[in-house]
Amino acid sequence: MHRFLNIYMGKIIALANQKGGVGKTTTTINLAASLATLEKTVLVIDADPQANASSGLGVNTKDVDSSLYECIIDHVDIRDAMYVTDIEGLDIIPSHVDLVGAEIEMLNIEHREQVLKKMLEPIKKDYDYILIDCSPSLGLITVNALTAADSVIIPVQCEYFALEGISKLLNTIRIIKSKLNPRLEIEGFLLTMYDSRLRLARQIYDEVKRHFQELVFKTVIQRNVKLSESPSHGLPVILYDADCTGSKNYLALAKEIINNNS
């Protein structure tokens, strides 16, 4: 039922896993592009100082006047930090390397865990989905993302130690749910970099499925060269090569999320 309630206001989904290299940013970019292709309005919030989601959607971070950092620290209106992308219906609030220092600067702010939530409230109704690409840490910006979000997608790479650190993330989600954001739910665990030829990948899929059951997305993101190449061209994979496996996987994921929320 919870999934049904928020959709008329726009649903905020954080993509989080403090383990790096699991496909968070790849998923943010390509899920957003796929949702927009399916005629949903989407806003990406790049909450990672590495700003890979920004460059992956064609934003030159050197030319950015206002980023998420300015919105948080200088109280710039969030609408003034929005950039349109090459995909109709898909906008982004870019990140900047300055965001690294934001967590320390935020220590003096009252209700500092809720800055992002308050920022997003006026624009939540303007989008069907708002996706927040979190940095690979459980710092204050990620806490802000989870406090603002309705749900969280947890990408899990199909490799050894895939489940390492997930209990820490789940514990953080539990704390945020009990203290800051009672409506936070897990949207799903997403298996990424899946190679069906490897027995290990199948074993990890089975293990994640055994642990988390119906919380695991049916869609699996397979290893795909085009998926790895597309960010260097500043394009989501659906614009880079619409027929490749990566495009099809993320389109399937977008449809699965739309169905789950309707």
Side-chain angles (χ1 to χ4, degrees):
M1 187 63 184
H2 72 273
R3 289 179 164 185
F4 194 64
L5 295 174
N6 289 308
I7 202 62
Y8 299 109
M9 272 295 286
K11 184 165 197 182
I12 302 176
I13 305 177
L15 288 95
N17 188 336
Q18 77 276 22
K19 197 172 191 296
V22 296
K24 264 193 308 290
T25 301
T26 302
T27 297
T28 306
I29 292 169
N30 292 298
L31 173 57
S34 298
L35 287 166
T37 303
L38 296 168
E39 300 186 341
K40 299 293 176 188
T41 51
V42 187
L43 175 66
V44 168
I45 293 176
D46 190 348
D48 184 347
Q50 293 175 69
N52 291 335
S54 307
S55 57
L57 284 172
V59 176
N60 183 346
T61 51
K62 291 188 182 73
D63 299 339
V64 165
D65 294 324
S66 297
S67 68
L68 183 61
Y69 173 83
E70 281 77 19
C71 295
I72 291 172
I73 302 301
D74 302 331
H75 311 295
V76 165
D77 187 311
I78 194 163
R79 289 185 181 90
D80 293 336
M82 281 178 191
Y83 290 74
V84 296
T85 70
D86 292 337
I87 292 186
E88 194 180 339
L90 173 54
D91 301 334
I92 182 166
I93 291 169
S95 184
H96 193 274
V97 70
D98 289 351
L99 199 60
V100 169
E103 301 205 341
I104 293 172
E105 294 178 67
M106 287 168 82
L107 292 177
N108 300 322
I109 299 176
E110 215 179 333
H111 306 302
R112 57 182 175 265
E113 299 89 356
Q114 304 193 13
V115 174
L116 190 55
K117 181 185 180 202
K118 289 196 178 82
M119 248 165 55
L120 294 178
E121 269 161 6
I123 59 160
K124 199 176 175 184
K125 64 188 183 306
D126 300 341
Y127 292 93
D128 296 314
Y129 292 95
I130 296 175
L131 303 183
I132 309 175
D133 185 26
C134 298
S135 71
S137 79
L138 294 175
L140 188 52
I141 302 276
T142 299
V143 168
N144 260 266
L146 294 171
T147 303
D150 299 302
S151 67
V152 55
I153 290 174
I154 302 169
V156 180
Q157 189 180 352
C158 289
E159 55 149 38
Y160 276 119
F161 309 123
L163 293 174
E164 197 181 63
I166 283 187
S167 60
K168 204 172 177 183
L169 174 62
L170 293 177
N171 196 39
T172 301
I173 290 169
R174 256 194 305 276
I175 292 166
I176 286 170
K177 202 171 157 68
S178 68
K179 296 203 167 21
L180 294 163
N181 181 6
R183 72 179 190 286
L184 184 63
E185 301 287 345
I186 291 175
E187 188 76 27
F189 289 85
L190 176 69
L191 285 140
T192 62
M193 304 177 209
Y194 183 82
D195 186 340
S196 56
R197 296 165 304 181
L198 299 180
R199 200 169 86 220
L200 173 68
R202 293 197 299 275
Q203 285 169 344
I204 285 160
Y205 178 85
D206 292 341
E207 192 182 349
V208 173
K209 196 84 179 129
R210 195 174 67 248
H211 271 276
F212 303 112
Q213 295 162 2
E214 75 285 353
L215 285 175
V216 181
F217 285 112
K218 292 183 182 74
T219 306
V220 170
I221 308 300
Q222 291 161 275
R223 271 198 188 280
N224 181 238
V225 174
K226 292 281 165 52
L227 204 50
S228 313
E229 288 174 358
S230 60
S232 64
H233 297 268
L235 293 171
V237 73
I238 204 158
L239 289 188
Y240 183 63
D241 183 347
D243 292 325
C244 74
T245 305
S247 292
K248 289 172 182 163
N249 289 168
Y250 277 110
L251 213 46
L253 177 65
K255 286 174 183 167
E256 189 174 345
I257 287 170
I258 291 167
N259 289 339
N260 288 348
N261 285 288
S262 60

PDB file of all heavy atoms in Angstrom, residues 6 11-15 116-117 120 124 130 132 134 142-153 176 181-185:
ATOM      1  N   ASN A   6       2.365   7.706  -2.462  1.00  0.00           N
ATOM      2  CA  ASN A   6       3.182   8.876  -2.782  1.00  0.00           C
ATOM      3  C   ASN A   6       3.201   9.262  -4.248  1.00  0.00           C
ATOM      4  O   ASN A   6       3.671  10.318  -4.598  1.00  0.00           O
ATOM      5  CB  ASN A   6       4.630   8.608  -2.358  1.00  0.00           C
ATOM      6  CG  ASN A   6       4.737   8.608  -0.857  1.00  0.00           C
ATOM      7  OD1 ASN A   6       4.295   9.540  -0.227  1.00  0.00           O
ATOM      8  ND2 ASN A   6       5.296   7.565  -0.295  1.00  0.00           N
ATOM      9  N   LYS A  11       7.584  10.482  -6.503  1.00  0.00           N
ATOM     10  CA  LYS A  11       8.226   9.580  -5.544  1.00  0.00           C
ATOM     11  C   LYS A  11       9.728   9.843  -5.526  1.00  0.00           C
ATOM     12  O   LYS A  11      10.359   9.929  -6.592  1.00  0.00           O
ATOM     13  CB  LYS A  11       7.952   8.131  -5.952  1.00  0.00           C
ATOM     14  CG  LYS A  11       8.512   7.148  -4.940  1.00  0.00           C
ATOM     15  CD  LYS A  11       7.953   5.766  -5.118  1.00  0.00           C
ATOM     16  CE  LYS A  11       8.206   4.969  -3.854  1.00  0.00           C
ATOM     17  NZ  LYS A  11       7.746   3.596  -3.949  1.00  0.00           N
ATOM     18  N   ILE A  12      10.264   9.964  -4.332  1.00  0.00           N
ATOM     19  CA  ILE A  12      11.715  10.193  -4.197  1.00  0.00           C
ATOM     20  C   ILE A  12      12.377   8.865  -3.863  1.00  0.00           C
ATOM     21  O   ILE A  12      12.033   8.217  -2.879  1.00  0.00           O
ATOM     22  CB  ILE A  12      12.010  11.236  -3.087  1.00  0.00           C
ATOM     23  CG1 ILE A  12      11.301  12.562  -3.402  1.00  0.00           C
ATOM     24  CG2 ILE A  12      13.516  11.455  -2.954  1.00  0.00           C
ATOM     25  CD1 ILE A  12      11.447  13.630  -2.324  1.00  0.00           C
ATOM     26  N   ILE A  13      13.314   8.464  -4.715  1.00  0.00           N
ATOM     27  CA  ILE A  13      14.025   7.192  -4.526  1.00  0.00           C
ATOM     28  C   ILE A  13      15.523   7.474  -4.415  1.00  0.00           C
ATOM     29  O   ILE A  13      16.123   8.059  -5.318  1.00  0.00           O
ATOM     30  CB  ILE A  13      13.769   6.218  -5.700  1.00  0.00           C
ATOM     31  CG1 ILE A  13      12.260   5.982  -5.911  1.00  0.00           C
ATOM     32  CG2 ILE A  13      14.493   4.891  -5.464  1.00  0.00           C
ATOM     33  CD1 ILE A  13      11.918   5.087  -7.098  1.00  0.00           C
ATOM     34  N   ALA A  14      16.102   7.079  -3.296  1.00  0.00           N
ATOM     35  CA  ALA A  14      17.561   7.191  -3.132  1.00  0.00           C
ATOM     36  C   ALA A  14      18.213   5.905  -3.627  1.00  0.00           C
ATOM     37  O   ALA A  14      17.655   4.819  -3.463  1.00  0.00           O
ATOM     38  CB  ALA A  14      17.901   7.417  -1.665  1.00  0.00           C
ATOM     39  N   LEU A  15      19.375   6.023  -4.236  1.00  0.00           N
ATOM     40  CA  LEU A  15      20.160   4.848  -4.625  1.00  0.00           C
ATOM     41  C   LEU A  15      21.391   4.834  -3.745  1.00  0.00           C
ATOM     42  O   LEU A  15      22.233   5.736  -3.815  1.00  0.00           O
ATOM     43  CB  LEU A  15      20.537   4.901  -6.105  1.00  0.00           C
ATOM     44  CG  LEU A  15      19.318   4.646  -7.007  1.00  0.00           C
ATOM     45  CD1 LEU A  15      18.687   5.948  -7.439  1.00  0.00           C
ATOM     46  CD2 LEU A  15      19.698   3.792  -8.207  1.00  0.00           C
ATOM     47  N   LEU A 116      17.848  18.467   2.813  1.00  0.00           N
ATOM     48  CA  LEU A 116      17.458  18.042   1.462  1.00  0.00           C
ATOM     49  C   LEU A 116      15.947  17.819   1.374  1.00  0.00           C
ATOM     50  O   LEU A 116      15.307  18.184   0.388  1.00  0.00           O
ATOM     51  CB  LEU A 116      18.221  16.766   1.088  1.00  0.00           C
ATOM     52  CG  LEU A 116      18.124  16.290  -0.363  1.00  0.00           C
ATOM     53  CD1 LEU A 116      18.527  17.379  -1.345  1.00  0.00           C
ATOM     54  CD2 LEU A 116      18.996  15.052  -0.587  1.00  0.00           C
ATOM     55  N   LYS A 117      15.387  17.242   2.407  1.00  0.00           N
ATOM     56  CA  LYS A 117      13.935  17.007   2.437  1.00  0.00           C
ATOM     57  C   LYS A 117      13.171  18.321   2.260  1.00  0.00           C
ATOM     58  O   LYS A 117      12.247  18.430   1.453  1.00  0.00           O
ATOM     59  CB  LYS A 117      13.561  16.340   3.765  1.00  0.00           C
ATOM     60  CG  LYS A 117      12.089  16.029   3.874  1.00  0.00           C
ATOM     61  CD  LYS A 117      11.738  15.482   5.241  1.00  0.00           C
ATOM     62  CE  LYS A 117      10.249  15.199   5.265  1.00  0.00           C
ATOM     63  NZ  LYS A 117       9.705  15.154   6.587  1.00  0.00           N
ATOM     64  N   LEU A 120      13.405  19.746  -1.271  1.00  0.00           N
ATOM     65  CA  LEU A 120      12.653  19.047  -2.320  1.00  0.00           C
ATOM     66  C   LEU A 120      11.142  19.215  -2.209  1.00  0.00           C
ATOM     67  O   LEU A 120      10.428  19.007  -3.186  1.00  0.00           O
ATOM     68  CB  LEU A 120      13.006  17.554  -2.302  1.00  0.00           C
ATOM     69  CG  LEU A 120      14.446  17.209  -2.684  1.00  0.00           C
ATOM     70  CD1 LEU A 120      14.691  15.716  -2.587  1.00  0.00           C
ATOM     71  CD2 LEU A 120      14.766  17.685  -4.102  1.00  0.00           C
ATOM     72  N   LYS A 124       8.438  18.542  -5.393  1.00  0.00           N
ATOM     73  CA  LYS A 124       8.099  17.114  -5.438  1.00  0.00           C
ATOM     74  C   LYS A 124       6.940  16.841  -6.397  1.00  0.00           C
ATOM     75  O   LYS A 124       6.916  15.843  -7.117  1.00  0.00           O
ATOM     76  CB  LYS A 124       7.767  16.620  -4.026  1.00  0.00           C
ATOM     77  CG  LYS A 124       7.854  15.129  -3.873  1.00  0.00           C
ATOM     78  CD  LYS A 124       7.626  14.675  -2.442  1.00  0.00           C
ATOM     79  CE  LYS A 124       7.618  13.150  -2.397  1.00  0.00           C
ATOM     80  NZ  LYS A 124       7.319  12.611  -1.085  1.00  0.00           N
ATOM     81  N   ILE A 130      11.898  11.346  -8.478  1.00  0.00           N
ATOM     82  CA  ILE A 130      13.146  12.060  -8.173  1.00  0.00           C
ATOM     83  C   ILE A 130      14.131  11.002  -7.687  1.00  0.00           C
ATOM     84  O   ILE A 130      13.865  10.300  -6.714  1.00  0.00           O
ATOM     85  CB  ILE A 130      12.921  13.139  -7.095  1.00  0.00           C
ATOM     86  CG1 ILE A 130      11.950  14.220  -7.612  1.00  0.00           C
ATOM     87  CG2 ILE A 130      14.254  13.778  -6.683  1.00  0.00           C
ATOM     88  CD1 ILE A 130      11.563  15.285  -6.585  1.00  0.00           C
ATOM     89  N   ILE A 132      17.904  10.074  -6.306  1.00  0.00           N
ATOM     90  CA  ILE A 132      19.086  10.676  -5.657  1.00  0.00           C
ATOM     91  C   ILE A 132      20.247   9.690  -5.719  1.00  0.00           C
ATOM     92  O   ILE A 132      20.174   8.589  -5.164  1.00  0.00           O
ATOM     93  CB  ILE A 132      18.803  11.024  -4.176  1.00  0.00           C
ATOM     94  CG1 ILE A 132      17.519  11.854  -4.040  1.00  0.00           C
ATOM     95  CG2 ILE A 132      19.999  11.780  -3.582  1.00  0.00           C
ATOM     96  CD1 ILE A 132      17.102  12.135  -2.591  1.00  0.00           C
ATOM     97  N   CYS A 134      23.466   8.654  -4.331  1.00  0.00           N
ATOM     98  CA  CYS A 134      24.237   8.880  -3.096  1.00  0.00           C
ATOM     99  C   CYS A 134      25.711   8.531  -3.291  1.00  0.00           C
ATOM    100  O   CYS A 134      26.056   7.697  -4.123  1.00  0.00           O
ATOM    101  CB  CYS A 134      23.677   8.021  -1.967  1.00  0.00           C
ATOM    102  SG  CYS A 134      21.969   8.418  -1.552  1.00  0.00           S
ATOM    103  N   THR A 142      24.305  11.443   2.648  1.00  0.00           N
ATOM    104  CA  THR A 142      23.528  10.218   2.416  1.00  0.00           C
ATOM    105  C   THR A 142      22.377  10.121   3.417  1.00  0.00           C
ATOM    106  O   THR A 142      21.261   9.735   3.053  1.00  0.00           O
ATOM    107  CB  THR A 142      24.442   8.971   2.489  1.00  0.00           C
ATOM    108  OG1 THR A 142      25.433   9.080   1.465  1.00  0.00           O
ATOM    109  CG2 THR A 142      23.661   7.693   2.267  1.00  0.00           C
ATOM    110  N   VAL A 143      22.634  10.500   4.662  1.00  0.00           N
ATOM    111  CA  VAL A 143      21.566  10.531   5.669  1.00  0.00           C
ATOM    112  C   VAL A 143      20.466  11.504   5.218  1.00  0.00           C
ATOM    113  O   VAL A 143      19.270  11.207   5.334  1.00  0.00           O
ATOM    114  CB  VAL A 143      22.124  10.909   7.065  1.00  0.00           C
ATOM    115  CG1 VAL A 143      21.004  11.235   8.051  1.00  0.00           C
ATOM    116  CG2 VAL A 143      22.996   9.773   7.603  1.00  0.00           C
ATOM    117  N   ASN A 144      20.856  12.646   4.667  1.00  0.00           N
ATOM    118  CA  ASN A 144      19.888  13.605   4.124  1.00  0.00           C
ATOM    119  C   ASN A 144      19.060  12.977   3.002  1.00  0.00           C
ATOM    120  O   ASN A 144      17.841  13.165   2.938  1.00  0.00           O
ATOM    121  CB  ASN A 144      20.610  14.844   3.570  1.00  0.00           C
ATOM    122  CG  ASN A 144      20.586  16.014   4.528  1.00  0.00           C
ATOM    123  OD1 ASN A 144      19.723  16.877   4.469  1.00  0.00           O
ATOM    124  ND2 ASN A 144      21.552  16.028   5.445  1.00  0.00           N
ATOM    125  N   ALA A 145      19.729  12.244   2.122  1.00  0.00           N
ATOM    126  CA  ALA A 145      19.035  11.602   0.996  1.00  0.00           C
ATOM    127  C   ALA A 145      18.012  10.588   1.504  1.00  0.00           C
ATOM    128  O   ALA A 145      16.870  10.543   1.034  1.00  0.00           O
ATOM    129  CB  ALA A 145      20.044  10.928   0.069  1.00  0.00           C
ATOM    130  N   LEU A 146      18.414   9.788   2.493  1.00  0.00           N
ATOM    131  CA  LEU A 146      17.512   8.761   3.031  1.00  0.00           C
ATOM    132  C   LEU A 146      16.378   9.383   3.853  1.00  0.00           C
ATOM    133  O   LEU A 146      15.281   8.828   3.924  1.00  0.00           O
ATOM    134  CB  LEU A 146      18.299   7.759   3.878  1.00  0.00           C
ATOM    135  CG  LEU A 146      19.323   6.903   3.101  1.00  0.00           C
ATOM    136  CD1 LEU A 146      20.196   6.107   4.046  1.00  0.00           C
ATOM    137  CD2 LEU A 146      18.638   5.978   2.098  1.00  0.00           C
ATOM    138  N   THR A 147      16.636  10.537   4.438  1.00  0.00           N
ATOM    139  CA  THR A 147      15.588  11.235   5.192  1.00  0.00           C
ATOM    140  C   THR A 147      14.566  11.862   4.233  1.00  0.00           C
ATOM    141  O   THR A 147      13.380  11.939   4.543  1.00  0.00           O
ATOM    142  CB  THR A 147      16.211  12.319   6.103  1.00  0.00           C
ATOM    143  OG1 THR A 147      17.166  11.694   6.958  1.00  0.00           O
ATOM    144  CG2 THR A 147      15.168  13.013   6.964  1.00  0.00           C
ATOM    145  N   ALA A 148      15.032  12.284   3.057  1.00  0.00           N
ATOM    146  CA  ALA A 148      14.135  12.895   2.062  1.00  0.00           C
ATOM    147  C   ALA A 148      13.370  11.852   1.249  1.00  0.00           C
ATOM    148  O   ALA A 148      12.315  12.147   0.692  1.00  0.00           O
ATOM    149  CB  ALA A 148      14.954  13.772   1.116  1.00  0.00           C
ATOM    150  N   ALA A 149      13.896  10.634   1.179  1.00  0.00           N
ATOM    151  CA  ALA A 149      13.378   9.637   0.238  1.00  0.00           C
ATOM    152  C   ALA A 149      12.135   8.917   0.743  1.00  0.00           C
ATOM    153  O   ALA A 149      11.922   8.778   1.952  1.00  0.00           O
ATOM    154  CB  ALA A 149      14.470   8.616  -0.058  1.00  0.00           C
ATOM    155  N   ASP A 150      11.341   8.463  -0.208  1.00  0.00           N
ATOM    156  CA  ASP A 150      10.226   7.558   0.102  1.00  0.00           C
ATOM    157  C   ASP A 150      10.720   6.116   0.130  1.00  0.00           C
ATOM    158  O   ASP A 150      10.186   5.281   0.845  1.00  0.00           O
ATOM    159  CB  ASP A 150       9.130   7.682  -0.964  1.00  0.00           C
ATOM    160  CG  ASP A 150       8.559   9.097  -1.007  1.00  0.00           C
ATOM    161  OD1 ASP A 150       8.056   9.556   0.032  1.00  0.00           O
ATOM    162  OD2 ASP A 150       8.639   9.740  -2.072  1.00  0.00           O
ATOM    163  N   SER A 151      11.733   5.846  -0.690  1.00  0.00           N
ATOM    164  CA  SER A 151      12.249   4.477  -0.748  1.00  0.00           C
ATOM    165  C   SER A 151      13.709   4.491  -1.198  1.00  0.00           C
ATOM    166  O   SER A 151      14.227   5.518  -1.628  1.00  0.00           O
ATOM    167  CB  SER A 151      11.403   3.620  -1.703  1.00  0.00           C
ATOM    168  OG  SER A 151      11.553   4.070  -3.033  1.00  0.00           O
ATOM    169  N   VAL A 152      14.326   3.326  -1.092  1.00  0.00           N
ATOM    170  CA  VAL A 152      15.741   3.212  -1.465  1.00  0.00           C
ATOM    171  C   VAL A 152      15.962   1.973  -2.337  1.00  0.00           C
ATOM    172  O   VAL A 152      15.408   0.913  -2.068  1.00  0.00           O
ATOM    173  CB  VAL A 152      16.654   3.217  -0.196  1.00  0.00           C
ATOM    174  CG1 VAL A 152      16.267   2.151   0.798  1.00  0.00           C
ATOM    175  CG2 VAL A 152      18.122   3.094  -0.554  1.00  0.00           C
ATOM    176  N   ILE A 153      16.724   2.175  -3.408  1.00  0.00           N
ATOM    177  CA  ILE A 153      17.180   1.058  -4.241  1.00  0.00           C
ATOM    178  C   ILE A 153      18.612   0.750  -3.816  1.00  0.00           C
ATOM    179  O   ILE A 153      19.448   1.659  -3.729  1.00  0.00           O
ATOM    180  CB  ILE A 153      17.140   1.414  -5.744  1.00  0.00           C
ATOM    181  CG1 ILE A 153      15.685   1.530  -6.223  1.00  0.00           C
ATOM    182  CG2 ILE A 153      17.889   0.367  -6.589  1.00  0.00           C
ATOM    183  CD1 ILE A 153      15.545   2.023  -7.662  1.00  0.00           C
ATOM    184  N   ILE A 176      17.301   5.539  10.544  1.00  0.00           N
ATOM    185  CA  ILE A 176      16.654   6.691   9.901  1.00  0.00           C
ATOM    186  C   ILE A 176      15.138   6.530   9.923  1.00  0.00           C
ATOM    187  O   ILE A 176      14.396   7.478  10.182  1.00  0.00           O
ATOM    188  CB  ILE A 176      17.198   6.886   8.470  1.00  0.00           C
ATOM    189  CG1 ILE A 176      18.621   7.462   8.572  1.00  0.00           C
ATOM    190  CG2 ILE A 176      16.299   7.811   7.643  1.00  0.00           C
ATOM    191  CD1 ILE A 176      19.404   7.498   7.321  1.00  0.00           C
ATOM    192  N   ASN A 181      12.609   9.360   9.455  1.00  0.00           N
ATOM    193  CA  ASN A 181      11.771   9.198   8.269  1.00  0.00           C
ATOM    194  C   ASN A 181      10.999   7.881   8.336  1.00  0.00           C
ATOM    195  O   ASN A 181      11.384   6.886   7.708  1.00  0.00           O
ATOM    196  CB  ASN A 181      12.665   9.254   7.011  1.00  0.00           C
ATOM    197  CG  ASN A 181      11.862   9.123   5.732  1.00  0.00           C
ATOM    198  OD1 ASN A 181      10.641   9.098   5.738  1.00  0.00           O
ATOM    199  ND2 ASN A 181      12.561   9.028   4.617  1.00  0.00           N
ATOM    200  N   PRO A 182       9.895   7.877   9.079  1.00  0.00           N
ATOM    201  CA  PRO A 182       9.164   6.616   9.281  1.00  0.00           C
ATOM    202  C   PRO A 182       8.607   6.000   8.001  1.00  0.00           C
ATOM    203  O   PRO A 182       8.323   4.807   7.956  1.00  0.00           O
ATOM    204  CB  PRO A 182       8.019   7.010  10.235  1.00  0.00           C
ATOM    205  CG  PRO A 182       7.995   8.493  10.268  1.00  0.00           C
ATOM    206  CD  PRO A 182       9.333   8.995   9.851  1.00  0.00           C
ATOM    207  N   ARG A 183       8.478   6.801   6.925  1.00  0.00           N
ATOM    208  CA  ARG A 183       7.879   6.241   5.696  1.00  0.00           C
ATOM    209  C   ARG A 183       8.914   5.567   4.775  1.00  0.00           C
ATOM    210  O   ARG A 183       8.563   5.018   3.734  1.00  0.00           O
ATOM    211  CB  ARG A 183       7.096   7.303   4.938  1.00  0.00           C
ATOM    212  CG  ARG A 183       7.938   8.336   4.266  1.00  0.00           C
ATOM    213  CD  ARG A 183       7.170   9.378   3.483  1.00  0.00           C
ATOM    214  NE  ARG A 183       8.107  10.157   2.699  1.00  0.00           N
ATOM    215  CZ  ARG A 183       8.927  11.071   3.194  1.00  0.00           C
ATOM    216  NH1 ARG A 183       8.929  11.322   4.491  1.00  0.00           N
ATOM    217  NH2 ARG A 183       9.759  11.733   2.419  1.00  0.00           N
ATOM    218  N   LEU A 184      10.192   5.604   5.151  1.00  0.00           N
ATOM    219  CA  LEU A 184      11.230   5.048   4.278  1.00  0.00           C
ATOM    220  C   LEU A 184      11.064   3.537   4.109  1.00  0.00           C
ATOM    221  O   LEU A 184      10.974   2.799   5.075  1.00  0.00           O
ATOM    222  CB  LEU A 184      12.622   5.359   4.860  1.00  0.00           C
ATOM    223  CG  LEU A 184      13.821   4.925   4.021  1.00  0.00           C
ATOM    224  CD1 LEU A 184      13.873   5.642   2.674  1.00  0.00           C
ATOM    225  CD2 LEU A 184      15.132   5.160   4.780  1.00  0.00           C
ATOM    226  N   GLU A 185      11.024   3.102   2.853  1.00  0.00           N
ATOM    227  CA  GLU A 185      10.894   1.671   2.539  1.00  0.00           C
ATOM    228  C   GLU A 185      12.026   1.253   1.616  1.00  0.00           C
ATOM    229  O   GLU A 185      12.662   2.103   0.983  1.00  0.00           O
ATOM    230  CB  GLU A 185       9.563   1.400   1.815  1.00  0.00           C
ATOM    231  CG  GLU A 185       8.307   1.787   2.589  1.00  0.00           C
ATOM    232  CD  GLU A 185       7.993   0.843   3.739  1.00  0.00           C
ATOM    233  OE1 GLU A 185       8.572  -0.273   3.765  1.00  0.00           O
ATOM    234  OE2 GLU A 185       7.182   1.217   4.604  1.00  0.00           O
TER     235      GLU A 185
END
